[in-house]
Amino acid sequence: MSRLRRITRTGALAASLLLCLLPHLLWSAARRRSPWPRRFLAMAARSVGARVRIEGHPFHGDSFIIANHVSWVDILALGGATGSAFVAHDGIAGWPLIGWLAAQNNTLFVARNRRGALSSQLDALRAALAGHQPVALFPEGTTSDGTGLLPFKPSLLAVLLPPPRSVRIQPVHIDYGPATAEISWHSNEPAGANAKRLLERKGRLDVTLRFLAPFDPAICPDRKALAAMTQERIAASIATHLPPFT
C-alpha cells in the first residue's frame, strides 16, 4: 500500500503540473503576472496529502514573510496560501525541473557562501519587493526537526533597514502538529529518501500556517535585532502549540 500511495501522489503531482503549465505559459507570453504558480503550489500540497489550515490574518499589503523551516512541503503550503516568491540558495537553480519551476514563481536564488555577493543579492531582493509580490524567507538557512529553531541568519534582513515603502514583516509558524517528527527533513537525510517517506505516508498531513502579528521593521535598530525579534515570536508560538514528542 505504501508503494501505491507513492505512485498515486506522484501522479497527482504530475497532473497538477500539466494542468497549470499551459495557462501559465500563455500568461507569461502575454507578459502578465501569472496566478498559476500559486495555484500549482496549492494543488501540489494537496497532491502529497497536505491539508492546509490558516490561523491568524495574512497581511494583505507588501509583506516580507519569515517562517520556520521543517520540510519541503513548507514551500508548497506557504506558497499556495500566500503567493509568495521565495529566497533560496542558488544550488536549487540547477536542479532538474525543480529549478525551472522555482524560477517561474520568481524565486530569488542567493549564493550564501560567495564573498562579495551580499550587495548584489540585496539589490535583487529590493527589486523583488518592488514588484508587490510577497517575499518569503526561511532564515534558519536549512530545515530543522521542528521542535525549535536553528539560529536565524540576519544578513538578508538588511534589505528591510530602512524598509522600502510600507513593507511589513510577518512571522509565520509552520506547524505539522503530531506529524512533525515523522515528516521533518533534517540530519543530512537525502532529499529522495525524505520525499519517498513522505509520499508513502499513510493518511493526510495536516499543516497549520500561523500568521503572527505583522510589524514595522523600522522599530528595529539593525538586522540582528530584527532577526532576534522575529525568532522570538516564532519560537514562542512553537513552544505554545507543538505537542510533546513520544
Side-chain angles (χ1 to χ4, degrees), residues 20 24 33-45 54 58 60 75-84 104-105 133-134:
C20 297
H24 167 67
R33 180 171 169 178
S34 173
W36 289 97
R38 177 177 183 174
R39 293 173 183 173
F40 166 69
L41 290 172
M43 292 172 64
I54 292 177
H60 293 298
I75 296 168
L76 308 182
L78 188 59
T82 66
S84 299
Q104 301 313 297
N105 193 45
Q133 180 178 7

Side-chain angles (χ1 to χ4, degrees), residues 19-203:
L19 182 64
C20 297
L21 183 58
L22 180 58
H24 167 67
L25 293 176
L26 291 174
W27 279 66
S28 297
R31 300 186 181 279
R32 299 175 62 188
R33 180 171 169 178
S34 173
W36 289 97
R38 177 177 183 174
R39 293 173 183 173
F40 166 69
L41 290 172
M43 292 172 64
R46 290 190 66 86
S47 296
V48 302
R51 297 297 181 267
V52 180
R53 184 169 67 95
I54 292 177
E55 286 188 5
H57 303 284
F59 185 69
H60 293 298
D62 292 335
S63 62
F64 193 98
I65 295 170
I66 296 180
N68 61 311
H69 200 12
V70 181
S71 166
W72 50 273
V73 180
D74 299 348
I75 296 168
L76 308 182
L78 188 59
T82 66
S84 299
F86 289 89
V87 180
H89 69 78
D90 59 353
I92 292 176
W95 290 7
L97 184 59
I98 301 296
W100 183 83
L101 289 173
Q104 301 313 297
N105 193 45
N106 300 321
T107 296
L108 176 65
F109 297 107
V110 300
R112 292 184 176 132
N113 298 320
R114 194 170 71 231
R115 290 186 177 181
L118 181 60
S119 177
S120 61
Q121 290 167 2
L122 290 175
D123 289 342
L125 190 50
R126 290 187 185 98
L129 288 169
H132 301 288
Q133 180 178 7
V135 174
L137 173 69
F138 301 116
E140 293 168 282
T142 186
T143 48
S144 72
D145 65 4
T147 62
L149 293 171
L150 301 173
F152 278 16
K153 302 179 187 301
S155 57
L156 289 177
L157 297 180
V159 73
L160 297 165
L161 298 171
R165 301 187 316 279
S166 57
V167 171
R168 292 293 182 267
I169 296 282
Q170 181 147 49
V172 175
H173 169 205
I174 303 175
D175 185 7
Y176 294 90
T180 300
E182 185 181 356
I183 63 92
S184 58
W185 180 17
H186 63 99
S187 301
N188 297 316
E189 180 184 18
N194 181 269
K196 179 176 180 292
R197 180 160 56 84
L198 197 147
L199 291 172
E200 292 181 348
R201 181 180 180 273
K202 185 178 180 180

